[in-house]
Structures are given as structure tokens and as C-alpha cells.
Amino acid sequence: MGSLSIWHWLIIAAVFVMFFGAKRMPDAARSLGRSLRIFKSEVSQMQNESSSAQASAAPVQQPAAELPQASAVQPTVAQPQAEPQAQPKSL
């Protein structure tokens, strides 16, 4: 149970071509290449955003006395309004 020899790889490639066909192979390779390029650009963009966010978000230490106090917020519940009742018509 060693590594795969060249014959094993050739058999795997032949089965792959039989399943997908020779016409669809270039299209599959092209779409795989596009997907990898998009993935690579998104990863590099995320890394750039992460590094710029870390550089711009330098922690500013304030003494405890200067910190603003949190105010207590009372929850408000909207009261349902009564619908006006229809007046019966007099004959």
C-alpha cells in the first residue's frame, strides 16, 4: 500500500475523461480557474480589510472617571388602540 504509481494515475485520468468527456474538460478547467481567481482575490481583500481595520482601531484608554455613564432605558410597550365602533343607522 505505497503511493500511487504512474499507471494508477493514468487509469484515474482515463476514467475521469470517460465520465466527463473530452469536450467538457476544458470548460471545467476554465471555470475552476475562474473560481480559484475569485476566491484568491476575495481572500486577499479580506486580509487587506482586516489589516487596515487593525491599524485604524488603535485602542484609546480613558480613565474610569471620564467614561460616560450608561443611562437606564425603560422599555416602552405600544398600547393597542381601540377601533371606533360603527354607529347603527336610525330609520
Side-chain angles (χ1 to χ4, degrees), residues 8-70:
H8 293 114
W9 286 111
L10 288 175
I11 292 171
I12 292 171
V15 169
F16 192 73
V17 169
M18 284 176 32
F19 278 135
F20 294 106
K23 283 188 172 184
R24 290 177 49 189
M25 295 291 285
D27 292 335
R30 192 174 303 118
S31 66
L32 179 65
R34 285 182 192 148
S35 299
L36 289 176
R37 271 182 268 150
I38 291 170
F39 180 73
K40 183 179 176 183
S41 68
E42 291 294 325
V43 168
S44 65
Q45 183 180 4
M46 284 177 35
Q47 288 175 346
N48 289 342
E49 288 176 359
S50 173
S51 64
S52 66
Q54 288 177 354
S56 66
V60 176
Q61 297 278 336
Q62 291 183 348
E66 294 180 18
L67 291 176
Q69 298 293 326

Side-chain angles (χ1 to χ4, degrees), residues 1-5 8-9:
M1 296 200 91
S3 64
L4 297 175
S5 68
H8 293 114
W9 286 111

Side-chain angles (χ1 to χ4, degrees), residues 74-85:
Q74 297 294 327
T76 58
V77 178
Q79 299 294 326
Q81 294 181 358
E83 294 181 20
Q85 297 197 1

